[in-house]
């Protein structure tokens, strides 16, 4: 069983990592190709392309300029500890023990516009490049064209060593589009998280993102090896709802008193 997550826009390189264990990204050469083309963009072009502020565009232009094919603990940090968005608040990897981090390393992949797919303990240099960015490149009009089947094939290689050939999709729609289900050697299960609001259950973005991280944390804490065990997920009051679920879409709901 393999879990995929989206990355986060927010990064934390200030806090020291809680483990010395680290690995190298698989697609450094491919990332370097993208960096080469990103360096050709002015800060103004970056701001327009990514719909970000001028200061943020300047920051990322500087990141592209500083990016190196050599990843060390001085210029990079383990991905799961560097990402700092809602999903990673739920995962809270900095508080996991060595056994739980080892589980993440074996059972979780983080999809990335720049890095393709990262293991949680892969060193990652800071960047911003969302998968949905329409960044024209030699392979096509966007990053989906750039990555082609490479990410899917990498997931297949990892799944070869897993007894349960299942991919648990905890990524956003934008990022999961880089995975090609027809070329994937696994069944795909997508958990959905809903909260009660306004008289009905609905997806609330912040809570749903956090719940994805919570589920990944639950899997690590319980050393989950088969997706059926994820139906027991109960963090923060969520519960699996069989009547609202299908074979590939699993519904988790919670109702918090107003």
């Amino acid at each position: 069983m393999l879990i995929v997550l989206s990355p986060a826009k927010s990064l934390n390189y200030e806090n020291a990592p809680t483990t010395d264990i680290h690995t190298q990204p698989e697609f450094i050469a491919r990332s370097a190709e993208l960096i080469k083309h990103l360096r050709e963009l002015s800060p103004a072009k970056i701001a327009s392309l990514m719909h970000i502020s001028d200061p943020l565009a300047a920051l990322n232009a500087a990141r592209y300029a500083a990016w190196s094919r050599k990843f060390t603990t001085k210029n990079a940090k383990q991905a799961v500890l560097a990402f700092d968005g809602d999903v990673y608040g739920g995962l809270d990897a900095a508080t996991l023990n060595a056994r739980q981090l080892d589980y993440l390393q074996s059972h979780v992949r983080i999809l990335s516009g720049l890095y393709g797919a990262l293991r949680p303990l892969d060193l990652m240099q800071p960047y911003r490049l969302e998968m949905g960015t329409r960044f024209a490149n030699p392979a096509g009009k966007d990053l989906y064209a750039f990555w082609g089947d490479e990410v899917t094939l990498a997931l297949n290689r990892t799944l070869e060593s897993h007894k349960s050939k299942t991919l648990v999709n905890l990524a956003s729609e934008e990022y999961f589009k880089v995975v090609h289900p027809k070329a994937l050697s696994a069944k795909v299960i997508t958990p959905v998280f809903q909260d009660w609001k306004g008289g009905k259950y609905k997806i609330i973005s912040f809570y749903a993102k956090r719940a994805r991280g919570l589920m990944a944390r639950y899997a690590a804490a319980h050393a989950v090896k088969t997706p059926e065990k994820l139906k027991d997920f109960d963090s923060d009051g969520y519960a699996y709802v069989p009547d609202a679920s299908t074979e590939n879409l699993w519904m988790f709901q919670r109702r918090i008193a107003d």
Side-chain angles (χ1 to χ4, degrees):
M1 184 188 80
L2 193 62
I3 296 169
V4 291
L5 295 172
S6 298
K9 297 175 185 177
S10 301
L11 303 174
N12 181 344
Y13 280 82
E14 288 72 41
N15 294 350
T18 52
T19 178
D20 293 328
I21 300 172
H22 58 270
T23 47
Q24 295 288 317
E26 179 177 356
F27 294 113
I28 291 176
R30 293 291 278 156
S31 299
E33 290 182 46
L34 284 172
I35 288 291
K36 176 184 176 181
H37 297 294
L38 288 165
R39 284 173 174 167
E40 297 171 356
L41 304 179
S42 66
K45 182 64 175 177
I46 292 171
S48 176
L49 178 69
M50 301 185 181
H51 308 291
I52 56 179
S53 67
D54 290 341
L56 194 52
L59 170 64
N60 282 284
R63 286 170 170 172
Y64 304 147
W67 195 91
S68 169
R69 289 179 67 124
K70 185 177 181 180
F71 287 65
T72 71
T73 54
K74 292 184 178 180
N75 70 359
K77 185 178 181 180
Q78 296 93 331
V80 77
L81 299 174
F83 287 124
D84 196 29
D86 299 332
V87 171
Y88 295 88
L91 178 54
D92 197 12
T95 63
L96 295 178
N97 61 36
R99 177 184 60 79
Q100 293 163 341
L101 287 174
D102 183 64
Y103 174 93
L104 291 184
Q105 184 77 343
S106 299
H107 292 84
V108 172
R109 293 295 179 268
I110 303 169
L111 306 176
S112 164
L114 179 61
Y115 294 102
L118 290 161
R119 290 171 294 181
L121 297 181
D122 280 350
L123 289 177
M124 182 186 80
Q125 294 175 54
Y127 78 102
R128 179 161 176 161
L129 185 62
E130 295 174 51
M131 189 67 80
T133 304
R134 293 183 66 83
F135 179 47
N137 59 82
K141 64 181 181 180
D142 55 27
L143 294 174
Y144 301 114
F146 179 83
W147 287 110
D149 284 332
E150 288 189 72
V151 171
T152 306
L153 295 176
L155 297 176
N156 282 342
R157 289 193 293 272
T158 301
L159 283 160
E160 286 177 1
S161 62
H162 288 240
K163 186 174 181 180
S164 175
K165 309 299 183 187
T166 306
L167 188 74
V168 179
N169 173 25
L170 291 176
S172 66
E173 182 179 350
E174 172 189 352
Y175 278 89
F176 196 68
K177 279 175 63 177
V178 79
V179 179
H180 300 157
K182 290 183 179 179
L184 188 68
S185 302
K187 174 183 178 181
V188 176
I189 292 172
T190 301
V192 177
F193 303 95
Q194 293 185 328
D195 282 80
W196 181 264
K197 186 176 182 180
K200 62 180 179 179
Y201 285 104
K202 61 177 68 176
I203 296 172
I204 301 175
S205 180
F206 167 76
Y207 294 129
K209 289 178 181 178
R210 178 175 170 80
R212 291 170 184 161
L214 286 169
M215 179 167 278
R217 182 182 180 89
Y218 178 91
H222 295 81
V224 173
K225 299 293 180 64
T226 61
E228 286 295 318
K229 294 293 184 180
L230 291 177
K231 290 181 178 179
D232 296 328
F233 171 75
D234 58 358
S235 301
D236 277 16
Y238 285 100
Y240 173 67
V241 184
D243 290 345
S245 302
T246 65
E247 181 181 357
N248 300 104
L249 203 69
W250 290 6
M251 192 67 66
F252 293 82
Q253 297 175 337
R254 71 173 177 176
R255 184 167 182 171
I256 300 175
D258 297 332

